[in-house]
Amino acid sequence: MMNLKSLGNLTLKGAAIGAALLLATQIQAANTLRWSSAGDALTMDPHAQNETPTINMNRQVYDTLIQRDQNLKMEPGLALSWKPLSATQWQFDLRRGVTFHDGSAFSAEDVKFSIERAQANTSDFKAYVNTIESVEIIDDYTIVINTKTPDPILPSYLTFVFIMDQTWSLTHKVSSPQDYNSSEETYAVRHANGTGAYTLAEREPDLKTVLQKNPNYWGPAAQIETIIHTPIASAPTRVAALLSNELDFVLDPPIQDLKRLDGEASIDVISVPQIRTIFLGMDQGAKTLRSNSELGKNPLADKRVRKAMYMAIDVKAIQQKIMRGLAEPAGIITAPGVNGYNKALDTRLPFDRKQAKELLAQAGYPEGFKIRLDCPNNRYINDEAICQAVVSMLSKIDINVSLNAQPKSIFFKAISNNESDFYLLGWGVATLDSEYVFRYLLNTRSDKIGTWNRANFSNAEVDQLIAKIQQEVDLTKRDQMIERVWQITKEDITYLPLHHQVISWAMSSKLSLPIVASNEPLFRLAAFKK
């Protein structure tokens, strides 16, 4: 972790007024934690969207069989223990005496139902459980998961499969996950019934979410009684609200204000390298560009074009000027700390505009071409500013890029619906294993795997290697195959890696909240200092 200490000046009076107006209806109560971030959770349906802020909000309310602590170490959740019975069988012994928030008892039936729900077509978590053949109930508190093939990292994937109450789900007609991409509205979108440390008391999407302490939580009792999340798109307004004591915690303080904030006696700023890489995706599989159909072909299908775009982007300038040093230039799309990360491969091609122009000319685009860059403006640190810089840099080699920056709720639907030629994305590694990146971003896309492979990359050798990696229990052989996949995709320039992200949290000095490299606050561990 890093602590930032420096003094500075920032005029925030106007922003403070805006924050006061926005939060005026929130009356500060004893033992209430008020926090903010640029965007909101996309849904409260725990299987509908595999997006970190959404997962984070759901994790306060729902539990998984296995969970991770503040150091990302796996520990018992709703399962007290787990063990392999054979190469394709895992046994889980469940906690007794656990109840859902409505008082109903938790049992093996709920686990079977939840895993099968996560396998549904509308689930954004189906790739997590795609190796599962069946869930066998031995008794009320014992299950056996049968996999189609050996799956040595299944426990890691299950840290993200939330357990729902089967009866509640059937009663409210939410036995299948929300179809988020078609904007389906279901009862589970705004309501929840989990076993987690907090209950969902109020949900107004993009306005306010209120959580209340679960008095019957199976684990150590949470110290904070009430949690209020108010998404605030304006960074200055979030900062002003923190400085004026209208917020206790800001998940994503603007980089340019970190020294100023940490210079305040009433504010603490903590930073840590995140398990997330920011990169640009390019649809190399489409026949023509959606954003420039008159071109009649897809320049992104030519590796020389992708390489030219790569070499035209000055990542060090982005690191220094936009990220203020809180980023590490990336050569592959996974970060240190992930199994299979290779420092030798995590190196970049040189920044070289002259060679980039030569590559474009060789590919048949001496005068460049037009394309649209789709970018979120409230998801990653300085995401829109990064995209603006990319637009400017690519213009230097005559690629005319129009920027389409939009809120993540709109952006992710467009990406999921395969509507983008060129886009900015960040990828955290839930399992801390490279296979997770491969499963989502590199496997040939189908309805169950490669679901975020909007680059439409397809390579038979890569697919075969991924299938073997998913089954291999010999770690040496497995790591060799992981390295080979990284080599192939690095050579192909499947994606344009930018940087590994560093996260910073800003909070009241009265609040104790451990920072987590996954960027998921564990509010069950939060407390106000006495």
Side-chain angles (χ1 to χ4, degrees):
M1 294 183 191
M2 299 172 281
N3 283 298
L4 308 172
K5 288 290 179 186
S6 181
L7 295 175
N9 290 307
L10 181 65
T11 303
L12 294 169
K13 183 177 180 180
I17 294 172
L21 291 173
L22 183 62
L23 302 174
T25 58
Q26 296 182 2
I27 300 174
Q28 184 177 6
N31 209 10
T32 295
L33 192 161
R34 305 151 302 161
W35 72 287
S36 183
S37 56
D40 197 9
L42 299 172
T43 175
M44 289 304 297
D45 187 314
H47 302 138
Q49 275 294 290
N50 179 25
E51 186 244 6
T52 299
T54 301
I55 292 169
N56 172 47
M57 188 66 76
N58 276 291
R59 198 177 293 284
Q60 315 307 324
V61 176
Y62 290 98
D63 288 315
T64 52
L65 292 177
I66 305 167
Q67 61 189 28
R68 291 189 184 273
D69 65 14
Q70 66 194 66
N71 298 311
L72 300 181
K73 301 292 186 183
M74 289 196 296
E75 63 180 11
L78 291 177
L80 283 169
S81 63
W82 55 96
K83 63 182 179 182
L85 298 180
S86 70
T88 58
Q89 287 186 309
W90 287 85
Q91 178 175 306
F92 292 80
D93 297 320
L94 309 179
R95 289 185 186 274
R96 290 165 169 75
V98 175
T99 59
F100 287 94
H101 295 156
D102 66 357
S104 59
F106 159 74
S107 75
E109 291 283 354
D110 302 303
V111 176
K112 177 179 172 66
F113 167 78
S114 299
I115 290 175
E116 292 175 350
R117 188 179 191 270
Q119 291 177 313
N121 285 336
T122 52
S123 168
D124 203 21
F125 291 82
K126 53 184 175 287
Y128 283 67
V129 288
N130 73 311
T131 64
I132 295 177
E133 180 71 44
S134 64
V135 179
E136 182 182 353
I137 296 176
I138 306 304
D139 57 43
D140 283 349
Y141 298 102
T142 309
I143 64 164
V144 170
I145 294 179
N146 300 296
T147 59
K148 302 169 189 174
T149 58
D151 188 351
I153 58 172
L154 179 65
S156 292
Y157 275 103
L158 292 179
T159 63
F160 281 81
V161 179
F162 294 109
I163 305 303
M164 298 180 72
D165 178 359
Q166 180 181 24
T167 300
W168 181 87
S169 300
L170 295 175
T171 298
H172 295 290
K173 298 180 173 58
V174 290
S175 57
S176 295
Q178 169 203 18
D179 186 347
Y180 181 82
N181 294 336
S182 66
S183 301
E184 181 184 19
E185 184 76 19
T186 73
Y187 190 78
V189 171
R190 298 168 187 259
H191 303 83
N193 183 37
T195 58
Y198 287 91
T199 66
L200 180 63
E202 184 179 348
R203 173 68 178 164
E204 298 178 63
D206 297 320
L207 292 176
K208 182 171 67 173
T209 301
V210 180
L211 306 177
Q212 293 287 353
K213 176 181 174 179
N214 175 11
N216 301 312
Y217 181 51
W218 55 265
Q223 298 300 303
I224 304 294
E225 291 288 340
T226 304
I227 298 173
I228 301 174
H229 176 246
T230 306
I232 303 174
S234 166
T237 304
R238 291 197 302 279
V239 169
L242 182 65
L243 287 169
S244 61
N245 195 35
E246 291 168 286
L247 290 173
D248 304 297
F249 168 53
V250 172
L251 179 73
D252 46 10
I255 288 176
Q256 61 270 24
D257 293 337
L258 293 181
K259 289 184 180 180
R260 162 72 172 113
L261 285 170
D262 208 43
E264 295 288 332
S266 61
I267 304 295
D268 288 337
V269 175
I270 50 178
S271 302
V272 70
Q274 188 185 9
I275 309 295
R276 181 178 299 280
T277 303
I278 307 299
F279 60 92
L280 295 164
M282 306 158 291
D283 187 350
Q284 59 180 269
K287 291 183 179 179
T288 60
L289 294 178
R290 302 165 186 81
S291 55
N292 187 5
S293 58
E294 59 269 24
L295 192 61
K297 53 184 177 179
N298 180 8
L300 302 177
D302 193 315
K303 175 183 168 181
R304 293 169 296 185
V305 172
R306 300 196 298 273
K307 187 174 182 179
M309 295 169 72
Y310 187 127
M311 298 184 76
I313 297 172
D314 186 351
V315 165
K316 287 189 176 180
I318 292 174
Q319 176 199 33
Q320 295 166 5
K321 296 178 181 179
I322 296 175
M323 302 303 293
R324 307 293 178 99
L326 292 176
E328 187 65 31
I332 55 175
I333 56 171
T334 201
V338 173
N339 181 62
Y341 168 81
N342 189 310
K343 186 174 179 61
L345 289 173
D346 193 22
T347 54
R348 294 186 57 81
L349 292 172
F351 167 56
D352 190 332
R353 285 182 186 144
K354 180 180 179 182
Q355 187 175 348
K357 286 186 176 182
E358 291 173 355
L359 285 166
L360 279 182
Q362 292 170 17
Y365 303 95
E367 297 179 357
F369 55 88
K370 294 180 181 179
I371 194 170
R372 185 184 71 231
L373 172 58
D374 296 306
C375 182
N377 59 16
N378 63 346
R379 175 60 189 94
Y380 311 113
I381 298 172
N382 286 352
D383 42 16
E384 186 172 2
I386 293 168
C387 289
Q388 290 170 342
V390 168
V391 169
S392 175
M393 291 169 182
L394 291 180
S395 72
K396 300 296 195 318
I397 61 167
D398 300 321
I399 297 180
N400 184 353
V401 183
S402 60
L403 177 58
N404 179 33
Q406 51 196 343
K408 66 176 185 175
S409 58
I410 300 171
F411 169 81
F412 283 126
K413 286 180 182 177
I415 302 302
S416 296
N417 289 327
N418 207 34
E419 297 172 358
S420 181
D421 298 316
F422 186 32
Y423 54 91
L424 179 85
L425 198 63
W427 201 256
V429 185
T431 62
L432 304 184
D433 189 278
S434 292
E435 186 274 343
Y436 179 82
V437 184
F438 303 163
R439 183 178 295 209
Y440 273 96
L441 296 176
L442 296 175
N443 220 114
T444 296
R445 189 159 57 91
S446 70
D447 61 346
K448 294 192 180 296
I449 198 166
T451 51
W452 279 85
N453 178 4
R454 301 307 172 176
N456 286 307
F457 167 79
S458 182
N459 180 289
E461 183 183 357
V462 168
D463 288 345
Q464 291 168 4
L465 284 167
I466 294 172
K468 291 177 180 178
I469 288 166
Q470 291 168 347
Q471 303 176 38
E472 185 56 65
V473 295
D474 184 315
L475 297 183
T476 300
K477 291 181 180 178
R478 190 173 186 274
D479 287 347
Q480 289 171 348
M481 290 188 286
I482 287 174
E483 181 176 356
R484 176 60 183 154
V485 173
W486 284 127
Q487 289 171 340
I488 292 171
T489 53
K490 182 180 176 71
E491 172 64 24
D492 176 75
I493 311 182
T494 305
Y495 293 98
L496 305 184
L498 296 177
H499 57 254
H500 307 306
Q501 188 167 269
V502 174
I503 53 171
S504 298
W505 293 359
M507 66 189 76
S508 165
S509 58
K510 298 178 181 179
L511 178 65
S512 172
L513 178 63
I515 192 167
V516 185
S518 62
N519 208 27
E520 286 191 61
L522 298 176
F523 289 119
R524 58 187 166 84
L525 303 180
F528 284 108
K529 302 170 186 176
K530 295 179 181 179

